[in-house]
Amino acid sequence: MSFLSYLINGISLGSIYAIIALGYTMVYGIAKMLNFAHGDVIMVGAYVCFFAVTRFSLPPVVGVLLAMVVCTLLGMLIERLAYKPLRSAPSLAVLITAIGMSYFLQNSAQLLWTSNPKVFSSVVGNGALKLFDGQLSISYVTIVTIIICFAIIALLLFIVQNTKMGKAMRACSEDKGAAMLMGINVNTTISFTFAIGSALAAIAGVLLCSAYPTLMPTTGSLPGIKAFTAAVFGGIGSIPGAFLGGILLGVIEIFAKAYISTQLSDAIVFAVLILVLVIKPTGLLGHEIHEKV
Amino acid sequence: MTKYKNLSSPTKNMVSTFALVIGLFLILQILLLTGSVSSLVKGQLVPICAYIVMAVSLNLTVGILGELSLGHAGFMSVGAFSGVVMSSVLKQAGASDGLRLFVSILTGCVFGAIVGFLIGIPVLRLKGDYLAIVTLAFGEIIKSIMNNLYIGLDASGLHVNMLKDNLNMTDGRVIISGPMGVSGNDKLSTFFAGFLLILFCLFVIFNFVDSRAGRAVAAQRDNYIATESVGINVTKYKLTAFTISAGMAGMAGTLFALNYSTVVASKFDFNTSILVLVFVVLGGLGNMKGSILAAIVLTLLPELLRAFSTYRMLLYAIVLILIMLITNNPEMKHVVDTVLSRIKGLFRRRKGGAVND
C-alpha cells in the first residue's frame, strides 16, 4: 500500500514538474532559447496568489486567475524587453541575459517581500481522500494537481494541433524564416508562447506551494532546474516529452527518497537523467536530427 | 629581441595577457605596500585569483572546445575538498605551510582531472544543450555526494564514510563532516600563490591552444564533420581539453578552500557554475584577457556596490542584462561603436596635431 501511495505522490510531484517543463519546452521549441527565468516566474505566481488570498482575502480561484494574468504579462514583458532585442544574438548571450533576468526577479522578490519564508495555505484545502479502509490516503492537492496537469496537456495539444496559432507555432519552430515568408507574424507567435508558458508557470507555482507550503524568493529555482531537466529528459521541444519526462522525474524522485536515501535523492534523479541521455542522446521522445554534410 | 609589433597575433595576445596579469599584480603589490587597499578588497584578492583560474579554465571548455558546461563548480568542489584533506594529512606529517599548499593544489588538480576525465567520457558523446544539461546534472551529483561525505583523520590514517556521521575513530580529527563541511581549516592560500597559479594556468592554456591537440580541438569546434573526415580522433582531443579544464578548476577549488577556515559543499553549486560562465561570456569566448578582467570586475562589483547594500544584487542583475543587450543587440552595438569611434577619433586628431606641430 505504501508503494501505491508513493507512486501517486510521485505522479503528483511529476505533474508539477511537467507543467513547468511545458513552459521550458515550448519556449525552447520556438525561440530556441533556455529561459532560465522561468523558475522565478513560478515564484512570482505563487506570491501573487498568496497575497491575493491572505491579504485581500479573495477566493482561491480568483487568486490563481490573478496570478496567471500577472505572470502572463510578466512573461511577455520579459520577452519584449530582454529577449526580443537579442533574437539574432548568439545563444550564449541570450542564456546569460536569461540568467540575469532570473537574478533580477529573485532579488526584486527579496526586496518586495523579504526573504522570510511565508507559509502558503493550500488553495485546495487540507483534506484527504481515504481509500481501502483508510489504508491509503491521498490528499486533495495531489488529486487536483494530477487532474489539472492532464487537462493542461490535453488543452495544449489541442491548441498546438488544431488552432491557427498552434499551426503558426509549429511553423515557427520548424523554420522561422520560411514561416515569416508565409505571412506568419513570428514576433506575435513567440510572444504568445511566452504568455502560455508563463500562465502555466503561475499554475505550477500555486500547486507547488500548495503541496510544499514554504514560499521564498528562491522557491522557484530548484524546481525550475529539475523541470528543465525533465524537459530535456523527455526530449526538449516536444510537448508529450515534457509531460512524460516530468512525471518520470517526479516518480523517480519520490521513490529514491522513500527507498534509497533522502539526502541522495537529487543525485539519483540526475544520475538517471545522465543514463537516459547517454543511451538516447536526444531524450526519450526527442527527434534525432541528422546532420547533412 | 623581436619587437612586440612584429610578433604574430596569437603570440601578441599571449604576451599582452601575461603583461596584464603581471602588471595588475605589481600595481596591487605597490598599493598593498602603501596600505591604500581597503580591507574589503584585500579579503577578495585570493578568491579573485581562484575565480580567474576558474574563468580561464571554463573558457578552455566553452571558448576553445566550444561546449557549454553548466557544472564547472563541481570540479572546483572536488579540488577544494581533496585539497583540504591533503593539507590536513600533511599537517600531521609536519610539513611546512608552503609545501602543504603546493602539494594540496597538486592534489586538487589530480582529483579534479580524474573526475573530469570520468565525466568527460559520457558527456562528450552528447551535443549542444543535451551536453550542457548533463554537465549540470554532474555538478548537482557532485554537490550531493560532497554534502554527504564524512572524512576523518587519526593516527591510523584516513577514515571515509558516506551518509552517516560514524567514522569509527577514537581520537583524531574530523576533516569533512557532511553538510557542515570543513571547519577549523588552516588558511594557507596567499595572494602570491594565486598569482603564480594564474600564470601557470595561462601558460598551460596558451601552450595547449598552440599545440597539435589545441588545433584539433579548435578545428572540431569550427567544423566537426570536416575534422573527423581528415582522420583526427576528435573524442581523444576533446577529452584532453576537458580534463585539463577540470584539473585547473580543481586547483582553483583548492586555492579557494584554503583561503577560508570553513568550507561547505553547497558553496560550489549551480549558481557558482553560472557565475563563472558569466565571466567567460562577458569576457568573450576564447578571450583569456577578457575572462580575467570580467572575473576581477564582477567579483569586486557586488563588494563595491555594498554602499547600496540592499539593492546591490538587483543592480548586479540589471548591469548584467544591460551589458548583454549593449554588446549583442545590433542597434545598440551600432550606437556604442559610433560613440567609441568618435572618442577614438578625437584622440587621434589630437595626436596627429602634435606631430604636425
Side-chain angles (χ1 to χ4, degrees):
Chain A
M1 212 41 74
S2 62
F3 174 81
L4 203 59
S5 135
Y6 290 138
L7 183 67
I8 291 167
N9 280 330
I11 294 176
S12 167
L13 178 63
S15 300
I16 297 174
Y17 288 154
I19 299 172
I20 308 171
L22 283 170
Y24 276 111
T25 222
M26 284 173 49
V27 166
Y28 184 87
I30 286 167
K32 293 283 174 288
M33 66 162 290
L34 300 176
N35 181 14
F36 259 101
H38 194 65
D40 302 293
V41 177
I42 297 169
M43 171 269 300
V44 173
Y47 267 108
V48 170
C49 181
F50 173 79
F51 283 113
V53 174
T54 53
R55 191 153 303 169
F56 302 103
S57 44
L58 295 168
V61 181
V62 181
V64 177
L65 287 177
L66 196 65
M68 283 172 71
V69 171
V70 171
C71 283
T72 306
L73 292 177
L74 181 68
M76 285 164 79
L77 191 71
I78 290 174
E79 198 272 332
R80 184 78 189 69
L81 289 181
Y83 304 153
K84 198 178 164 209
L86 296 176
R87 200 88 13 107
S88 57
S91 62
L92 259 180
V94 189
L95 182 76
I96 301 291
T97 313
I99 290 163
M101 209 27 125
S102 158
Y103 285 162
F104 178 80
L105 289 179
Q106 266 181 37
N107 288 298
S108 313
Q110 200 161 346
L111 286 177
L112 284 174
W113 304 311
T114 73
S115 51
N116 297 336
K118 305 242 178 324
V119 181
F120 194 95
S121 54
S122 169
V123 288
V124 192
N126 287 322
L129 188 70
K130 299 242 189 298
L131 291 176
F132 305 112
D133 302 328
Q135 281 185 47
L136 181 66
S137 99
I138 312 166
S139 68
Y140 291 140
V141 182
T142 310
I143 302 169
V144 169
T145 305
I146 297 174
I147 294 172
I148 288 180
C149 175
F150 278 87
I152 286 174
I153 293 290
L155 185 69
L156 269 188
L157 282 178
F158 174 78
I159 291 177
V160 170
Q161 298 297 336
N162 298 332
T163 62
K164 208 167 182 187
M165 197 35 125
K167 208 182 235 176
M169 286 162 80
R170 277 180 292 145
C172 283
S173 82
E174 199 117 313
D175 189 333
K176 259 190 224 89
M180 215 181 279
L181 289 175
M182 294 300 120
I184 293 170
N185 191 338
V186 174
N187 282 331
T188 317
T189 315
I190 293 180
S191 219
F192 180 73
T193 313
F194 268 88
I196 294 188
S198 308
L200 292 183
I203 300 176
V206 173
L207 290 174
L208 181 75
C209 290
S210 296
Y212 303 89
T214 334
L215 180 56
M216 282 189 289
T218 51
T219 293
S221 46
L222 192 62
I225 292 176
K226 281 191 187 154
F228 169 45
T229 313
V232 178
F233 193 53
I236 196 152
S238 145
I239 290 177
F243 174 69
L244 187 67
I247 300 275
L248 278 179
L249 204 74
V251 172
I252 295 169
E253 184 178 332
I254 296 284
F255 276 162
K257 262 186 193 147
Y259 293 114
I260 306 174
S261 154
T262 323
Q263 294 108 304
L264 289 180
S265 68
D266 284 353
I268 294 164
V269 168
F270 286 116
V272 173
L273 166 85
I274 292 167
L275 207 65
V276 168
L277 284 187
V278 167
I279 296 166
K280 197 165 181 317
T282 49
L284 291 172
L285 301 180
H287 295 290
E288 206 170 326
I289 301 159
H290 292 284
E291 232 172 305
K292 284 182 198 142
V293 182
Chain B
M1 222 178 102
T2 344
K3 273 191 181 160
Y4 178 75
K5 239 198 284 183
N6 300 335
L7 293 171
S8 66
S9 83
T11 322
K12 226 184 227 175
N13 184 19
M14 185 177 88
V15 170
S16 63
T17 310
F18 277 112
L20 172 78
V21 174
I22 296 171
L24 281 175
F25 176 75
L26 290 178
I27 291 170
L28 268 170
Q29 279 300 330
I30 292 166
L31 288 177
L32 281 171
L33 281 177
T34 53
S36 42
V37 179
S38 71
S39 60
L40 214 74
V41 176
K42 225 186 254 173
Q44 290 294 316
L45 288 178
V46 177
I48 286 177
C49 289
Y51 282 131
I52 288 176
V53 175
M54 282 298 285
V56 294
S57 85
L58 185 64
N59 206 340
L60 181 63
T61 305
V62 182
I64 315 277
L65 185 64
E67 300 291 7
L68 176 61
S69 166
L70 297 176
H72 216 56
F75 304 126
M76 195 182 183
S77 175
V78 170
F81 287 105
S82 56
V84 165
V85 170
M86 181 48 90
S87 92
S88 300
V89 171
L90 286 176
K91 189 183 187 184
Q92 203 174 30
S96 70
D97 280 5
L99 183 71
R100 276 170 69 195
L101 180 63
F102 179 73
V103 178
S104 300
I105 289 182
L106 210 63
T107 314
C109 176
V110 170
F111 276 86
I114 291 172
V115 173
F117 178 75
L118 293 177
I119 289 176
I121 296 170
V123 162
L124 295 173
R125 294 181 38 167
L126 302 166
K127 279 188 197 131
D129 297 320
Y130 292 94
L131 186 145
I133 194 81
V134 168
T135 54
L136 187 162
F138 270 116
E140 291 295 308
I141 291 176
I142 292 175
K143 189 183 88 185
S144 281
I145 291 175
M146 290 299 172
N147 239 333
N148 293 296
L149 189 67
Y150 295 85
I151 295 182
L153 179 71
D154 66 3
S156 63
L158 284 175
H159 295 257
V160 183
N161 203 343
M162 273 295 280
L163 288 175
K164 275 171 255 98
D165 190 6
N166 177 19
L167 291 165
N168 300 322
M169 288 196 310
T170 42
D171 56 342
R173 169 171 167 264
V174 179
I175 304 173
I176 303 175
S177 113
M180 307 288 289
V182 177
S183 49
N185 195 13
D186 289 337
K187 296 186 197 171
L188 296 173
S189 295
T190 58
F191 180 42
F192 186 61
F195 165 68
L196 289 182
L197 188 62
I198 296 172
L199 288 187
F200 173 72
C201 289
L202 285 176
F203 177 76
V204 170
I205 288 178
F206 281 117
N207 271 292
F208 176 79
V209 171
D210 209 22
S211 71
R212 188 187 181 83
R215 282 191 296 273
V217 164
Q220 68 80 32
R221 173 197 63 194
D222 296 335
N223 193 329
Y224 190 88
I225 296 172
T227 313
E228 237 179 357
S229 70
V230 292
I232 290 172
N233 185 349
V234 176
T235 315
K236 185 179 110 188
Y237 290 121
K238 276 175 93 173
L239 202 55
T240 314
F242 196 72
T243 309
I244 292 176
S245 170
M248 283 179 188
M251 292 198 274
T254 312
L255 182 76
F256 187 85
L258 290 177
N259 185 48
Y260 296 99
S261 57
T262 51
V263 188
V264 288
S266 51
K267 175 77 192 78
F268 309 104
D269 61 355
F270 178 63
N271 288 332
T272 309
S273 300
I274 292 297
L275 187 74
V276 178
L277 183 66
V278 169
F279 299 157
V280 172
V281 176
L282 273 186
L285 296 182
N287 184 342
M288 298 301 156
K289 244 181 298 178
S291 291
I292 294 168
L293 289 176
I296 296 171
V297 172
L298 289 187
T299 315
L300 284 180
L301 188 64
E303 301 298 323
L304 298 178
L305 289 177
R306 251 180 219 287
F308 309 94
S309 60
T310 41
Y311 297 99
R312 72 192 179 111
M313 285 316 286
L314 195 69
L315 282 174
Y316 179 84
I318 294 172
V319 168
L320 194 63
I321 297 172
L322 283 181
I323 291 176
M324 288 330 279
L325 287 179
I326 289 169
T327 49
N328 285 291
N329 182 281
E331 288 147 36
M332 285 202 193
K333 211 175 179 178
H334 182 71
V335 173
V336 173
D337 280 351
T338 338
V339 172
L340 279 182
S341 69
R342 255 192 219 148
I343 294 172
K344 256 185 207 159
L346 222 66
F347 276 101
R348 207 163 287 152
R349 211 170 299 147
R350 223 171 258 171
K351 236 187 212 167
V355 170
N356 285 341
D357 288 344

